[in-house]
Amino acid sequence: MKIAKKIGWVLGVVFIIAQFFSPVKNEGEITSTIAFIAETNPSEEVLKVLKESCFDCHSNKTNYPWYNNITPVNFWLAAHVKDGKKHLNFSTWDSYSLKRKEHKMDELYEEVEEGEMPLKSYTLTHSDANLTPSQITAVVDWAKKTQADYKQQMNATIVE
């Protein structure tokens, strides 16, 4: 019994000390998404979905929940955001090539259509990020149209 108590105390002390360490936060400016929004021209409904369900993990500005102040949760969230931005970062959209933009739109609508995005782990704590069937349709239709526009631009560039 004494050993279990000692282990409990050691774990408690380690947990308290761990609270003094945290990862760098993703606290850029949300205005960094302006180029993406201007170029892809989402409807108000789609823009609302992007803001509520996508930008936290796929832009340079994350709105952190209160539990992000708890280590090790903050490291887990930081890893999710880093991974999300690695796959798609709306804040750096203007640096993507035309071909990459076209491909990212393809991935975007496939992930949303298949229910892979937003992640279940995100929607568990962000209920407003859950997408309704009409929101899914709106995002998929917008992304397919935007992808087609990029394909058309790519074809026009090849012809010239």
Side-chain angles (χ1 to χ4, degrees), residues 25-37 51 55-56 58-64 85 89-94:
K25 288 186 174 183
N26 187 43
E27 294 184 312
E29 296 294 323
I30 194 63
T31 55
S32 61
T33 60
I34 290 174
F36 166 78
I37 293 167
K51 287 179 178 178
F55 285 173
D56 272 353
H58 295 284
S59 78
N60 290 342
K61 174 68 174 148
T62 300
N63 295 310
Y64 290 97
K85 287 172 56 177
N89 188 345
F90 295 115
S91 294
T92 59
W93 190 256
D94 55 349

Side-chain angles (χ1 to χ4, degrees), residues 33-103:
T33 60
I34 290 174
F36 166 78
I37 293 167
E39 185 174 312
T40 61
N41 195 28
S43 67
E44 285 300 316
E45 179 184 17
V46 171
L47 183 57
K48 182 177 186 256
V49 168
L50 292 169
K51 287 179 178 178
E52 292 177 349
S53 304
C54 306
F55 285 173
D56 272 353
C57 296
H58 295 284
S59 78
N60 290 342
K61 174 68 174 148
T62 300
N63 295 310
Y64 290 97
W66 65 269
Y67 50 83
N68 185 64
N69 295 316
I70 302 170
T71 300
V73 175
N74 52 9
F75 282 95
W76 180 73
L77 290 173
H80 271 272
V81 171
K82 183 179 179 182
D83 187 55
K85 287 172 56 177
K86 179 181 76 175
H87 292 286
L88 172 62
N89 188 345
F90 295 115
S91 294
T92 59
W93 190 256
D94 55 349
S95 71
Y96 289 1
S97 69
L98 201 55
K99 184 176 181 175
R100 188 169 185 202
K101 290 176 182 180
E102 183 272 330
H103 179 68

